[in-house]
Amino acid sequence: MLVTRTRIVGVLVGCLADLALSDPKRGHPVAAFGDAAAWLERFTYRDAKIAGALHVSLAVGTVGLIGTAVQRATTHRDPLWPIAATATATWVALGGTSLARTGLDMARLLDRNDIDAARQLLPSLCGRDPSRLDGSGLTRAALESVAENTSDAQVAPLLWASASGVPGVLMYRAINTLDAMIGHRSPRYIRFGWAAARLDDLANYVAARVTAVLVVVCAPLVGGSALGAVAAWHRDAVRHPSPNAGVVEAAFAGALGVRLGGPTQYHHELQIRPTLGDGRQPGAADLRRAVALSRIVQLGAAALLAAVSSVRPGR
């Protein structure tokens, strides 16, 4: 149990680092990986699924090798070394504090009806075309992004770091970054990005459902409805094109008593998404509640990991 508990301690320290420090302003390793993946794409790109699979294999495999080397180098040293390595990797992969700050900044802009500034901020949250969105559309886009990234940028990294340590959490973040870069259905990436999108679906499958459960449990803490979250999740999520985003967004919609989904404009296409939830159109106050719920869910996931580690019997 020493290795497992040491890893969990590292994960919790990484979670605290995200809460206290947020993301580094410059030289973020995820940004460096994105730059490297874009450079690699110059050589691997072909309009074919097999080329995309090769691209993903090379990029994610390299990150996995680096993570494995780091974990092996620290495993047999003083326990502080593996704790520090796991904490650093977890901190790098998490994005909860940045997500919360951006969500609250968006709510403030929408409160002031500063639509131009809100449009400029939206790309920090999601890949939609902000030029075609009014205040209502910006609010919905921001809230849906907060919901989806509660799983992608908060719960999933904690689960992967706990289950697989440094290589697991770094590979997860690489997969999720590639999905954001090439996993969409634009003309250039509809085939090349297929492998990245499907691998991201697999990597987030469990985390999305754990996140939805935590949303149900934590909803009353923000004045929300646990029963509403369950109802929207089971009624609406299956109709969403994403097997994971639909689960989390539907749970958030039901918990907050709002209605999400509908026409969703990306730079490359217009998607008609199914309606999630049966409440009112969300406003800036609902976006703030979504941010609060998102933060509580991350803390709930960390607490759950700590509890599981403490009660698991040793050998």
Side-chain angles (χ1 to χ4, degrees):
M1 282 299 294
L2 177 61
V3 173
T4 300
R5 286 181 176 165
T6 298
R7 182 182 296 166
I8 294 296
V9 170
V11 172
L12 296 178
V13 171
C15 184
L16 291 174
D18 175 65
L19 294 173
L21 304 176
S22 186
D23 294 328
K25 299 297 183 182
R26 297 181 180 178
H28 198 300
V30 175
F33 170 79
D35 291 340
W39 174 84
L40 178 64
E41 186 181 326
R42 294 163 53 189
F43 304 96
T44 57
Y45 180 80
R46 303 289 187 278
D47 188 17
K49 290 182 178 181
I50 188 66
L54 174 63
H55 178 77
V56 171
S57 298
L58 290 173
V60 176
T62 300
V63 170
L65 290 174
I66 294 171
T68 300
V70 170
Q71 183 154 290
R72 287 179 176 174
T74 59
T75 296
H76 300 294
R77 297 192 179 190
D78 183 279
L80 288 178
W81 283 93
I83 288 173
T86 303
T88 301
T90 303
W91 174 53
V92 165
L94 283 170
T97 298
S98 293
L99 177 67
R101 288 178 179 173
T102 306
L104 292 176
D105 287 344
M106 178 66 78
R108 281 190 288 269
L109 294 173
L110 293 168
D111 269 337
R112 299 201 304 260
N113 201 31
D114 192 344
I115 301 302
D116 289 339
R119 286 171 175 164
Q120 293 176 16
L121 182 61
L122 187 66
S124 299
L125 285 170
C126 60
R128 301 184 192 182
D129 183 359
S131 66
R132 304 189 185 189
L133 297 177
D134 58 8
S136 177
L138 290 164
T139 303
R140 178 170 70 84
L143 201 156
E144 289 174 355
S145 180
V146 167
E148 181 177 2
N149 282 291
T150 300
S151 176
D152 291 5
Q154 297 181 77
V155 175
L158 293 176
L159 295 182
W160 278 103
S162 300
S164 305
V166 175
V169 71
L170 293 183
M171 290 174 70
Y172 167 75
R173 178 48 62 202
I175 292 167
N176 193 244
T177 302
L178 287 174
D179 177 59
M181 294 176 66
I182 66 173
H184 45 80
R185 297 178 61 83
S186 66
R188 176 177 174 84
Y189 292 125
I190 190 169
R191 281 177 285 274
F192 184 76
W194 179 86
R198 297 292 77 74
L199 189 58
D200 184 73
D201 287 343
L202 290 173
N204 280 295
Y205 188 87
V206 172
R209 283 141 186 88
V210 172
T211 303
V213 170
L214 289 170
V215 168
V216 172
V217 173
C218 299
L221 298 178
V222 296
S225 169
L227 292 178
V230 172
W233 173 8
H234 287 284
R235 182 187 65 232
D236 301 331
V238 69
R239 298 184 290 116
H240 196 281
S242 168
N244 300 323
V247 168
V248 184
E249 291 177 19
F252 263 77
L256 300 175
V258 299
R259 185 168 66 255
L260 303 177
T264 303
Q265 180 67 57
Y266 292 93
H267 290 283
H268 56 278
E269 68 174 345
L270 172 66
Q271 294 184 5
I272 305 301
R273 297 282 181 84
T275 299
L276 306 175
D278 54 7
R280 63 187 179 279
Q281 289 289 338
D286 297 305
L287 179 55
R288 289 191 178 87
R289 292 171 65 216
V291 170
L293 180 57
S294 176
R295 300 304 273 153
I296 294 170
V297 165
Q298 178 177 337
L299 293 174
L304 180 62
L305 292 173
V308 169
S309 175
S310 66
V311 301
R312 184 176 175 181
R315 293 182 180 181

